[in-house]
DNA sequence: ATGAAAGCGCTAACAA
DNA sequence: TTGTTAGCGCTTTCAT
């Protein structure tokens, strides 16, 4: 009776490396060596190698993730902590990240966590070292103090669109200020003088330049006054954009254009304008922000500020893996450029009224 | 020198239960008992309990996920394997699932995996027992043969919108056939006679009743012929919907209405119609499928078939956790009802032309 | 070229 | 009431 332990596979669970070892007539160590590709470089005869491979295949063996992670102190998983899956904005970022991560042997997952201030959802997982790296998006999530602690413990963390005061948290962002400037300047060039900006509530106005700062800069540059009643704060959703525009239309001195915080809000804006009988762009112009695919199919198609989302995804992963494997990186902050994507919601396509 | 091992915390990693034990002057086992709430019921004096709690807090201790999973043979994570994050369809499902899961002590994650036939992305994670339960969506993903193997190894798996031939895979679906019927009958009641159906390519036509079967039934019930040239297959995206409609408009015997596979395609359809100068619903009616929030903001707002997405999320989790904890469940298949959501893309709101 | 053995951090019997 | 001990499944020296 040499069979000291019952085969795990027999017990209904997944086969273990011990099961494979038994079947192949070798030791567990050999299984590990062969299956991790260290066989050729180090030692292990071709014959045993084949025997191991075939035994593993026969049992359908896959290494247990928890055991491997425990032993190697690394899970080879990078996770995105996203505020919502409702906005397809992150879709391309995550796809690009997945492709990049895969090339380095990492998997990527997503944890939806709409953090209310003070609570951070999937926290125990993050703190429990279930991931080698994490990408945090959303203002509330990025502001969570726990991130610092995570970084201190050696988890690589990058914040999307948020610059952390602490250098242990990397950041990959898009130049929001430039985007706001581009959008607003576009409207000014098209002859608009009363331009509204509809935005989400921003908790910390001085920390970080956002769209609204570019909006101000463009206005100032053109010698236009900044009318506070033209800057409206609303909930970040299509419905929010819709409500904000309705409010603006009530004004006795209506604006003739609006620069919206993002494409979702812009869709709401378009809807509100349509509902109130205003033609876009003839009666009112709208610029979005993000460059979602959806913008091609709105009525009319949306002029917007396009983000290099695939680049964001790729750079996030390169940063994270660099940090995980090298420990620390030179460049902590990435700032990516945006560009104006002219479609039809502002006019200016056929008869452009460009700056000289 | 009693300090046999260096504290892990000192080494820059996360503190371990041994670190907490040392600080509190108790054994590791006590830490485990206290922190898992077994202290009160079982034993452990109030005084040690407090000491442990405070030591843990002081170090910022969180149990290592890999170690705990390895020991308990359970990760307490349920993951969704989704084909894409582009379609916000899954957003509500995942949110509802997360809430339900949390009540049972499980976390939920998402793995984006657009499986091409023959390859299954995050497979090694799934097979490596990194998750206690998995929810698979998307035709290709659900068709992966590896799912059976997973189920055989004791991972609970539910397929969304796909019935597996194997009873070890649970399913939670929406009544697509009824949806197709409702959508088509609505158009018929509104007086349409030539009604198109734009759909995604369906690999296995006989396995499972889909929208197109309901479309056929409604047509047959009304004594209308099924014209094969009115059923067009296209890519599942806004652009696909757009192209399909353009193709239909070329027909010498144009349809006057289209039932679209989902809301995303319907958005593309609306765009194509607008581009070609057709008014919706006066010249052409459109029905969508899914009930996305976006449908409220299209031009015109989209009449669609609404899915009980939050119920889906909740039931998926109840099924999964039932399966994980009880082993096996009575009811393997859930079929949820849909309902017609009348907005404006078919007319029929002011002057309804209802069936008697 | 391969095996034996230790140990990652945790929990659960079993002792004391 | 608390400590000791034995693994969970894997990788990795170190022997052989």
């Amino acid at each position: 009776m040499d069979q000291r332990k019952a085969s795990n596979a027999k017990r209904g669970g997944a086969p273990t490396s011990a099961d494979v070892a038994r079947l192949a007539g070798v030791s567990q160590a050999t299984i590990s060596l062969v299956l991790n590709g260290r066989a050729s470089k180090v030692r292990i005869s071709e014959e045993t190698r084949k025997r191991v491979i075939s035994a593993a295949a026969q049992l359908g063996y896959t290494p247990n993730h928890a055991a491997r992670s425990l032993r190697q102190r690394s899970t080879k998983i990078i996770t995105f902590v996203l505020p919502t899956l409702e906005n397809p904005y992150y879709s391309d970022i995550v796809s690009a990240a997945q492709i990049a991560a895969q090339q380095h042997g990492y998997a990527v997952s997503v944890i939806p966590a709409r953090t209310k201030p003070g609570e951070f959802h999937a926290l125990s997982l993050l703190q429990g070292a279930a991931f080698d790296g994490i990408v945090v998006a959303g203002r509330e999530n990025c502001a969570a103090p726990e991130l610092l602690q995570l970084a201190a413990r050696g988890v690589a963390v990058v914040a999307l669109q948020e610059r952390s005061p602490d250098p242990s948290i990397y950041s990959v962002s898009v130049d929001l200020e430039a985007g706001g400037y581009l959008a607003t300047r576009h409207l000014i060039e098209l002859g608009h003088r009363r331009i509204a900006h509809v935005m989400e509530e921003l908790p910390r106005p001085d920390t970080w330049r956002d769209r609204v700062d570019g909006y101000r800069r463009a206005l100032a540059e053109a010698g236009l006054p900044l009318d506070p009643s033209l800057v409206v704060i609303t909930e970040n959703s299509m419905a929010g954009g819709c409500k904000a525009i309705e409010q603006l239309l009530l004004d006795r001195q209506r604006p003739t254009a609006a620069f919206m915080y993002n494409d979702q809000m812009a869709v709401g804006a378009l809807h509100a304008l349509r509902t109130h009988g205003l033609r876009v762009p003839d009666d009112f112009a709208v610029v979005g922000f993000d460059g979602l695919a959806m913008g091609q199919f709105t009525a009319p198609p949306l002029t917007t500020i396009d983000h290099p989302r695939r680049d964001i995804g790729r750079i996030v992963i390169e940063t994270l893996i660099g940090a995980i494997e090298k420990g620390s990186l030179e460049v902590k902050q990435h700032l990516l450029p945006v560009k104006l994507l002219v479609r039809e919601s502002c006019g200016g396509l056929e008869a452009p009224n460009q700056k000289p």
Side-chain angles (χ1 to χ4, degrees), chain A:
Chain A
M1 290 300 161
D2 191 34
Q3 198 111 351
R4 333 259 289 258
K5 306 192 160 191
S7 149
N8 195 26
K10 293 283 163 59
R11 301 201 278 80
T16 71
S17 69
D19 294 333
V20 181
R22 212 171 299 132
L23 180 60
V26 295
S27 77
Q28 268 191 74
T30 305
I31 304 301
S32 177
L33 257 15
V34 170
L35 264 33
N36 293 320
R38 257 179 280 282
S40 51
K41 332 173 41 178
V42 190
R43 48 234 171 153
I44 302 298
S45 72
E46 187 55 21
E47 199 246 313
T48 21
R49 208 184 66 83
K50 280 189 177 150
R51 206 141 37 85
V52 167
I53 298 280
S54 109
Q58 184 180 332
L59 295 177
Y61 170 73
T62 320
N64 179 285
H65 181 254
R68 172 178 282 195
S69 301
L70 179 57
R71 176 65 228 231
Q72 310 202 132
R73 297 156 165 282
S74 158
T75 62
K76 295 284 181 185
I77 303 181
I78 286 169
T79 201
F80 280 75
V81 179
L82 302 181
T84 168
L85 303 184
E86 181 70 36
N87 189 334
Y89 179 76
Y90 297 106
S91 173
D92 288 338
I93 295 180
V94 174
S95 298
Q98 204 190 54
I99 290 167
Q102 195 170 230
Q103 291 166 354
H104 295 264
Y106 285 76
V108 351
S109 75
V110 174
I111 294 190
R114 54 226 163 309
T115 306
K116 296 194 183 67
E119 56 131 328
F120 197 132
H121 244 298
L123 197 57
S124 68
L125 278 183
L126 300 185
Q127 297 193 148
F131 308 103
D132 289 352
I134 80 180
V135 187
V136 199
R139 205 136 9 215
E140 278 81 14
N141 289 343
C142 290
E146 291 88 350
L147 293 183
L148 292 176
Q149 191 193 22
L150 283 175
R153 288 184 184 170
V155 179
V157 6
V158 358
L160 242 38
Q161 221 49 264
E162 287 292 324
R163 176 175 300 170
S164 170
D166 192 286
S168 62
I169 294 184
Y170 297 84
S171 94
V172 176
S173 312
V174 128
D175 194 342
L176 301 177
E177 198 272 350
Y181 174 77
L182 252 28
T184 311
R185 198 185 68 179
H186 182 63
L187 291 168
I188 293 171
E189 286 172 355
L190 258 16
H192 294 278
R193 289 302 170 257
R194 282 187 66 74
I195 301 172
H197 177 43
V198 176
M199 60 189 276
E200 185 186 26
E201 182 161 19
L202 300 182
R204 302 167 304 164
D206 354 276
T207 290
W208 173 248
R209 315 262 78 188
D210 203 328
R211 301 150 176 86
V212 67
D213 300 295
Y215 165 80
R216 287 206 196 92
R217 176 157 66 95
L219 250 31
E221 186 182 278
L224 259 22
L226 189 150
D227 180 344
S229 75
L230 254 29
V231 175
V232 0
I233 289 177
T234 189
E235 155 207 340
N236 183 352
S237 69
M238 296 184 188
C242 189
K243 276 182 276 182
I245 293 296
E246 286 179 335
Q247 179 187 326
L248 283 163
L249 293 182
L250 256 34
D251 217 306
R252 63 244 140 248
Q253 274 208 42
R254 273 185 186 178
T256 62
F259 159 42
M260 307 296 295
Y261 190 80
N262 64 24
D263 287 351
Q264 299 227 69
M265 290 206 207
V267 167
L270 258 16
H271 181 74
L273 292 164
R274 196 159 45 232
T275 302
H276 289 261
L278 299 198
R279 288 162 308 155
V280 177
D282 303 326
D283 301 328
F284 200 106
V286 174
V287 190
F289 206 87
D290 282 357
L292 300 188
M294 187 177 56
Q296 303 167 56
F297 301 95
T298 52
L302 192 63
T303 289
T304 191
I305 301 295
D306 195 30
H307 293 205
R309 294 203 293 288
R310 307 201 67 83
D311 292 336
I312 298 175
R314 190 176 38 76
I315 291 174
V316 157
I317 293 300
E318 285 166 2
T319 302
L320 236 27
I321 293 182
I324 293 169
E325 299 186 347
K326 296 186 196 45
S328 179
L329 297 176
E330 298 300 306
V331 29
K332 307 278 190 184
Q333 321 269 356
H334 285 265
L335 189 64
L336 308 187
V338 294
K339 58 179 209 279
L340 176 67
L341 185 53
V342 177
R343 288 196 283 238
E344 301 170 28
S345 64
C346 300
L349 250 191
E350 355 277 80
N353 184 3
Q354 305 280 33
K355 212 175 186 177

